[in-house]
Amino acid sequence: MAMEITQALLAAQSPDGQTRTVAEANLKQFQEQNLPQFLLSLSIELSNDQKPPESRRLAGIILKNSLDAKDSARKEHLTQQWVSVDPSIKFQIKESLLRTLGSSVAEARHTSSQVIAKVASIEIPRKEWQDLIGKLLGSVTQAFAPGSLKQATLETLGYVCEEVAPRDLEQDQVNAVLTAVVQGMTSAEPNSDVHLAAIRALYNALDFAQTNFENQIERNFIMKVVCETAVSKESAEIRQAAFECLVAIASIYYDYLEQYMQTLFNLTAEAVRGDEEPVALQAIEFWSTLAEEEMERQDDCVALDELNSPLLHFHFVDKALESLVPMLLETLLKQEEDQDQDDTVWNLSMAGGTCLGLVSKTVGDKVVPLVMPFVERNITKADWRSREAATFAFGSILEGPSVEKLSPLARSGFEFLLSAMKDQSSHVRDTTAWTLGRVFELVHRPVSGDPVINEKNLPGIMTVLLDSIRDVPNVAEKVCGSLYFLAQGYEDAGPASKALTPYYESMITALLSTADRAGISNVRLRASAYETLNEVVRCSYVPDTLNTTAQLLQEITRRVMHTVDLQVVSSDDREKQSDLQALLCGGLQVIIQKLGGSEGKSVILQMADEMMMVFLRVFGCRSATVHEEAMLAIGALAYVTGVDFAKYMPEFYKFLEMGLTNFEEYQVCSISVGVVGDICRALDDKILPYCDGIMTVLLKDLSNAMLNRSVKPPIFSSFGDIALAIGENFDKYLPYAAPMMQSASEMCMHLDTSDDDMVEYINQLRRGIFEAYSGMLQGFKNSKPEIMLPYAGSLVQFIEAVFKDHSSDDLVTKAAVAALGDLADALGGRIKELLVGSPFYDELLSECLLSDDDVLKETAGWAEALIQHILQS
Amino acid sequence: MAPPPDHRRPIKRVAISDQQRRRELALRVQADRRSDAQNRARQLASSVLSLGPVTEVEPELEQEQEMSDASDQSGGRTELDPVRAASLRGPEVRRWFATQLMLPEWMVDVPPLLDSDWYVFPRPSGKRCFVVSSNGTTVSRLRNGSILHRFPSSLPNGARTKDVSGPSSSYSILDCIFHEADETYYVIDMVCWRGYSLYDCTAEFRFFWLNSKLSETGASDPPSQYHRYRFNVVQIYECNLIGLQAAYLGQVSYVKDGLLFYNKHAHYQAGNTPLALVWKDNVCSQYVLDTDNQGQIPSQQQVVLELQNDGSLTTSDDPPVALGCLSRDMIAQYGLRVGNLVRVEVRDDSVKLVDGKLDLGDLQLVGKPNRSRAFADTYSKVLFQYAARRAPLRIEDLVASIQSNPSVENSQALDIEMEG
C-alpha cells in the first residue's frame, strides 16, 4: 500500500488529465474504504525523507483538508470523523507528524507543523494529546537539537497557539511555551532561523500571556527581549516580526504599557526614520493601533461611565503628539512614483497618512496647529512631493477635529484646492480630488447655518469637478468620490437639496460618459462612476429632478438591455457582463425606490413592463443562479406596482425559486427571501398559486444545515408575510411551519449567549419567529383562528423565555408584545386560562408601558386592552 | 509592494460600497413595510370597527376637554394612526375621526395653474363621512365620529358573503358624501383599498385607482340583500374650460353643493388643506350663505369661533387665527369657558382688513352652536362667507383665470376688491 500511495499521489498531479482522474478516484476509494489507514499512510508518506517532495506535499495537503475546512458544518463533520478514528492509529499518525519536524526537508517540516496544529485544534480542547506541548518543548530546549528541528518546533508551537483558545491551555503549559520561545529569541541561540521562528511563535502566543503580563518581572523580561529583537542586527525580517509583536502588545496589553512608552517611542521613531520599509511600516502600525485602542477607550469611557472600573486610558497619543506628528509628516514625503495606479499600495506615505488620520480622530482639534504649518510651508513648493504631501496632510486631518475648527480652513483653502486640480502633477491632482471629497464628506453641513459650500462657491466647485472628471482615470475616480460625498451631504436635507438641482443633468451626463470612457479597461472607475450616479439620484430633490431621472431610467434600462446582447465566450466574459449588470441593476433599484415613493410613481408604473422584461433577460444570462442586484430591484418594483405585479409572476417565479434554493451564495438566497415578502405585500392573495412552491423551498432551506444561518430569521418572517397575504389558505402549511417555529424557539433558549454575534443572531431569530406567529394569527383571525390554538401555549412560553432572558433587544420585545396582542386578538376568550396561568405577561406589559419608545408603549397598551377584555369577559 | 495589514484600510482608498448600502437600505425598507402591513391589519381590523357608538349627549365638561385636545393634536398628524385608535373610547373616537378627513379650504382666490394642476367636480350635498369596510361589515362615520350606518356592502370584505377575495381582515376606507334623497354614497376619495394605504399617493393616482377599483367590486350596483346602499363615483374633470363648465352646469343625479377642486399632486392629508378647495355660488349650490341654528340665513354674517383664554376668538385652523375678541363682561355673563364654541355676529362697522387679514373687531355674541359642532369655522370659510355677502369670487373669475393663465396680479386684485 505504501508504495501504491506514493504512485497515486504523484499521478494525481500528472499533467495528463486521464492519469489524474484515475489517480484521484483511487485515492478517493482508499479514503472511503478505510479512512484511518488512509490518513496513516499519508502521515507516513509525509514523514519519509526517501519519498519525492511532490508526493509528500500532496500527502500533507490532503491530511490538512481531512482535518479542517472553512465551512463550519464541514469542519464539524471532519472533527467528528477524526475523533472516531481508532486511538492507536491516531497515535501512530501523530508520532509520524512529530518525527517529520526533524526532517532535513524544510517543506516537509513546515507542512507537518501545520498538520500538527490542526490535530491540536481538535484534540486539545477535548483534553486529549496533553503531552504535545511537553514533547515540542523537549525538542526546543534540548541543547544539541539541530537548528532545523528547533525552528520547526517553534513554528509548530506558534501554529498551535494560533489554533487553540487560551482557555484550553494550562498556565504551566503557557509558562513553558513562553520560556521556550523567549529562549529561542536570545543571542545564546546562534541560529537566526530559530530566532525568527521564535519571535513569530511569540506573536501567536501573546494571547496566552495574560497572567505573565500581569506579573511585573515576567512582563519586563518579555518586553526587554522583544525590544532587543526589534533592533536586532540579524535581519529586517526579525526586526519586522518583533515590531509585529509590539503592535499586538499595544492592543492586547495596553493597560501595562505606560512604563515602556518612552522606550517604545524611541524605538518606533528610529525605525520609521531609518529602518527598511517593512520594519518602518510596522513601527507606524504600532501608533495606528495605539490610536485605535485609545479611541475605543474614549468611547467606552462615555458608554461605561457608570461602571466602577472604567478602562484605563493613558492618552499616549496625546502625550506624544508633538513628536509623533512631525515624524508622521516626514513619511508623507516618501511617496512612490506610481503609487496612485494601485489602490492597494501600502508604503511609508500611505501608512503615515493613515496613521495621521487615526491620530486626528483620537486627539481632535489639537492636531490642527501641528499640521497646518507643514501644509502652508510645502503646498506651493516646486517639487510635486512637497505639494502632494501638504495636501495629503490636510486631507488626513479632516476627521476628528471639530467642524468649527475646520470650516474656516476648508473655506479659505477651497480656492487653492480647486486651482490645484490643474496642477501639472497627477499625484497632486489625485490627492487634491480626494481631499475635496473628504471636505464634502466631513466638513460640509448643508443644513447648518453657515455651510462650507454655499451658493457662491458651488458653481466654481461644480465647474472644476465636472471638468476634472475627464482627467486620467485615477484622478477621475477620486473626482467621482468627491461628487459622491458632495451629493451625500444633501441626503435628507429636504429643500436644501435643491442646491444641486441646476447641476443634476450635467452631473448625470458626466458620470455616464465617465462610465463609458472607463469601459472594461478600468472597471474601478466605471464602478465609481455608476455608484456615484446612484448617490446623486438618491440625494436629489425629486420635484425638480423628476423628468431627468425618468430619462435616466430609460437610459439605464437601455444599457442593461445592451449587456444582455454582449458576446459571452469565456467565464471571464460572463463575469464582466455580470459585474456591469450589477452596477446597472443597482442603478435601477435606486431609481425605482427614489421615484416609487414620490411624485414619480407613475413613471415607474409606466416603465414597469419594460424593466421587468430586462430583469428577466438578465436572469436568463445565467443558468445556475440569479442575479442578486436584479432581485433587489425586482423587490423594489413589486412594492411600487402592487397587485399589478401578478402579471409578471408566471415568468418570474422560476427565477425566484432559483434564488431561494441558492444556498451556496447565501446573499442571493437572503435577498430572494426578502423579495418573497415584497411580493406578498404587493400581491396579497394573488400570490396563492405560487405558495406551494415557495413554502416547499423555504421549508427545505430551513432544514438545510449548509445554508448560512443569517438567512433563517428572514425565512420565518416571510412565513408571516405569506400567512398575512393568503389568510386561511395558509392552513395547509401550518403543520409544517409551526413545528419549525417551535423547534427554533427551543433552540433560541439553549444557544450560547456569551458571544455577541450569537446574541445578535438569536435576536434576529426571535424576531423572525414572532413575526411568523403574528402574520399567522392575523391571517387566520377572521376565518379559523382556532387553528392556532394548539400553538398558543408554546408561543406564550416563548414570549416568557424571551422576556426573562435579558439579552433581547427592543425590536425583539416589540415583536414579542405584538405577537402577544395578536394572540389575544385572534383567539380571544379561548386563551383566558392560558393567560391566567401565565401571570408574567402583566410584568412584561407594565415594563413596556414605561418604555421611552412610543411604538412599544402603544403596542403594549393595545395588547393590554385586548387582554383585559378577555379577562373581564 | 506589500498590501496593508488585513484590518488596516488605507485612508486614501475611497470607500464607496454602494451595494452594501443598497442592501441595507432595502432590508430596512422591507422591515418597515412588514411592520406597517402587520400593524395595519392588527389595528384597523380589530379596533376601528369594534369601537362603540358615540354617545350623542355628553357632559359639557368632557366636550371642553375634547376641544382643547383636538387642537393640540391636529399638528403633525397626517395619517390614520390606528394603534392609537385601538385604545380610544367614547368621546375620543369622535375626536380621532374628526382629525382624519381631508378638509378643503374655501376658495377665496384662484390658485395659480388651475387648468393644469387641478381637478374639479360638483360636490354632492349631504353628509361627509368615512366608510370603512372590513371583516364582513361596513361602517360609515360622520366627521364628528358618530356612526351613520352599519351595513353590508359589496365593498371588499364589506359583507359576510362566501365570495371573499383576499384576507378578510384587510380593510378599505373611502371618503364619501351620503346623499339622503337617493340613499347613495358618493365616493369622493379613496384612502385605503384592500389594506393598502393610498395616503402617500397623489390625487391623480387615487382618483385613477378609485375609478378602476370600485367598478371591480359591484359596489355601484343597486341595493340588494348584501348591499344595502349604492356607491357611486363622482365624475371628476380636468379643470380646463370644458371641465369647469361640465362640473358647473352639467346635470348630475344628486343635489349639487358647490364645486370641489383637488390639486393633482396632493397626497391625502388629514385636516384642512389648501390643496383641496371648495367654491360655490347660487347656480351650483342652494347653500351659499351659512344658516343659523334655526336653518335661516341671518341678515348679518354669523361665524362659529373658539374662545381662548385671553378672550380672543379663533378659527379652527392650525395654527388658529384670532379674528376678534369678547369682552370680559360678556364671557362672564354667558358663563363661557376656554375652548367653548360661540356663535357671533359680524358687524360691518367694526370689520377691518389689515395687510390682507380679516379682523372682525368687537363681536356680538348670538349664542352657542349646535352640540354636534365639533369645530370652529376655518379662516377661509369666514373669509369666503364674508366675500359672498359683498364681492364674491364669481364663476367668471374662475373662467378668466383659466383663459389668462392666472398670475400674481390677479390674486392681488381680488384682495383689493374685497376691501370695498
Side-chain angles (χ1 to χ4, degrees), chain A residues 277 285 288-289 292 336 340 343-346 350 353-354 357-358 388 392 396 430-431 434 438 478 481 484 488 491 531-532 534-535 538 586 589-590 593 601 605 628-629 632 639 643 667 671 674-675 678 680-682 684-685 717 721 724-725 767 771 774-775 778 781-782 818 822 825 858-859 862, chain B residues 1-5 7-23 25-27 29-31 33-43 45-47 81-84 86-87 89 135 164-170 194-196 198 200-202 204-205 208-209 213 265 267:
Chain A
E277 191 173 51
E285 185 61 23
S288 294
T289 304
E292 273 184 331
E336 294 167 294
D340 296 331
D343 203 26
T344 61
V345 78
W346 191 241
M350 281 304 148
T354 303
L358 292 166
E388 195 276 342
F392 191 27
S396 298
D430 187 285
T431 302
W434 169 79
R438 297 263 296 175
K478 302 290 192 304
Y484 182 98
Q488 193 172 77
E491 192 180 24
E531 292 182 342
T532 303
N534 290 348
E535 196 66 8
R538 191 154 34 214
Q589 188 218 344
V590 168
Q593 222 146 38
K601 187 168 176 168
L605 293 176
E628 179 184 347
E629 293 283 349
L632 262 180
Y639 182 76
V643 75
Q667 294 274 24
I671 279 165
V675 169
D678 285 328
C680 285
R681 286 182 285 279
D684 231 335
D685 58 327
S717 304
D721 296 334
L724 190 58
R767 212 174 133 199
E771 284 173 341
S774 280
Q778 292 176 2
K781 185 186 141 194
N782 298 298
D822 288 327
D825 192 20
E858 283 176 352
T859 312
W862 166 77
Chain B
M1 179 48 51
H7 61 282
R8 178 77 53 224
R9 192 175 69 81
I11 192 169
K12 220 179 149 184
R13 190 188 293 179
V14 182
I16 317 178
S17 175
D18 193 62
Q19 190 192 24
Q20 194 47 33
R21 191 169 140 87
R22 261 179 298 114
R23 243 183 229 151
L25 283 173
L27 288 176
V29 167
Q30 277 168 353
R33 286 176 184 159
R34 174 176 297 121
S35 82
D36 283 356
Q38 293 199 342
N39 276 337
R40 270 196 303 247
R42 198 168 279 151
Q43 295 138 8
S46 66
S47 57
D81 180 2
V83 171
R84 242 195 142 78
S87 57
R89 293 294 173 265
N135 271 332
V164 179
S165 62
S168 59
S169 57
S170 89
R194 293 191 192 275
Y196 288 95
L198 294 163
D200 51 1
C201 300
T202 61
E204 195 168 9
F205 183 80
F208 159 72
W209 210 243
K213 292 295 153 186
H265 310 297
H267 294 187

Side-chain angles (χ1 to χ4, degrees), chain A residues 716-737:
Chain A
F716 283 112
S717 304
S718 74
F719 285 171
D721 296 334
I722 294 170
L724 190 58
I726 64 173
E728 59 184 317
N729 294 306
F730 196 81
D731 59 356
K732 61 173 159 170
Y733 311 123
L734 190 63
Y736 304 97

